[in-house]
Amino acid sequence: MAKLYKEDQKYHDVFSIGLLGVIGALMGYKIITAYFILELGVPATTLSLLGLSIIGAILFYKTLKLKIRISPKKMTFKIDPLPWAQLKVTKAEIESIEFFQVTEAELCTGWAMNFGHRSRIFNFGDKSGIIIRKSNGKQIVVFSKKLYEQRAAIEASLKEHDWHILEQA
């Protein structure tokens, strides 16, 4: 079955990647200081585990990928390499679809953005995307700049395949 939309988005949330770097640098500094300057004799296994955990975290971030697929009958959202982080929604389950964009003012207010307690959110660092409201009251929020930028073509494709659930923002 042909896909109406396909995207493989790499993780690019600069804040959390930077935070990982700062934490890794502080941990490394503390252990190296204890080992070389204070001569406390930190075991080699501790240094090895620290190094491996930092390398593992970097590799994990490098392999994280949000896969968005829209076909004529369903939408699929999956975070690779996590096998439990996937969601499939059929056309029959969806009540409405709305494209959105978060403004800089909303970002500056911090936690003021609220999508509700019955939301499943997929965000890899973008400020725009799509909100899918399901008929059971739950919703799915997918942040994707590419998806938002191609909204006109996606809306046309969905309407062509009898998706009469698009909301105008």
Side-chain angles (χ1 to χ4, degrees), residues 79-92:
I79 298 176
D80 271 351
L82 307 174
W84 61 86
Q86 89 173 17
L87 188 62
K88 293 180 184 178
V89 185
T90 63
K91 182 171 35 173

Side-chain angles (χ1 to χ4, degrees), residues 13-75:
D13 185 2
V14 178
F15 176 77
S16 63
I17 293 172
L19 186 62
L20 173 70
V22 168
I23 290 170
L26 289 173
M27 287 174 56
Y29 174 76
K30 186 157 181 99
I31 289 179
I32 289 171
T33 301
Y35 185 72
F36 291 109
I37 296 173
L38 302 175
E39 298 180 12
L40 295 177
V42 177
T45 54
T46 303
L47 290 173
S48 299
L49 287 175
L50 173 68
L52 286 174
S53 63
I54 291 172
I55 290 169
I58 291 169
L59 290 174
F60 178 72
Y61 273 121
K62 300 267 302 158
T63 60
L64 269 178
K65 196 179 292 183
L66 173 61
K67 294 184 174 187
I68 303 169
R69 306 288 187 266
I70 302 174
S71 71
K73 295 184 179 183
K74 67 180 178 185
M75 294 184 177

Side-chain angles (χ1 to χ4, degrees), residues 50-146:
L50 173 68
L52 286 174
S53 63
I54 291 172
I55 290 169
I58 291 169
L59 290 174
F60 178 72
Y61 273 121
K62 300 267 302 158
T63 60
L64 269 178
K65 196 179 292 183
L66 173 61
K67 294 184 174 187
I68 303 169
R69 306 288 187 266
I70 302 174
S71 71
K73 295 184 179 183
K74 67 180 178 185
M75 294 184 177
T76 306
F77 309 99
K78 182 178 181 192
I79 298 176
D80 271 351
L82 307 174
W84 61 86
Q86 89 173 17
L87 188 62
K88 293 180 184 178
V89 185
T90 63
K91 182 171 35 173
E93 293 177 83
I94 299 174
E95 185 176 290
S96 67
I97 297 172
E98 178 185 353
F99 291 90
F100 73 93
Q101 186 169 25
V102 178
T103 64
E104 290 298 321
E106 290 170 321
L107 287 175
C108 291
T109 59
W111 295 102
M113 294 180 294
N114 185 1
F115 292 104
H117 70 283
R118 297 188 57 148
S119 297
R120 178 102 183 251
I121 299 174
F122 294 91
N123 186 0
F124 271 33
D126 288 336
K127 299 175 188 170
S128 54
I130 189 170
I131 298 175
I132 302 157
R133 289 182 183 84
K134 296 171 63 176
S135 53
N136 65 2
K138 295 182 180 180
Q139 64 183 15
I140 303 158
V141 181
V142 181
F143 285 82
S144 169
K145 181 180 178 182
K146 183 179 171 187

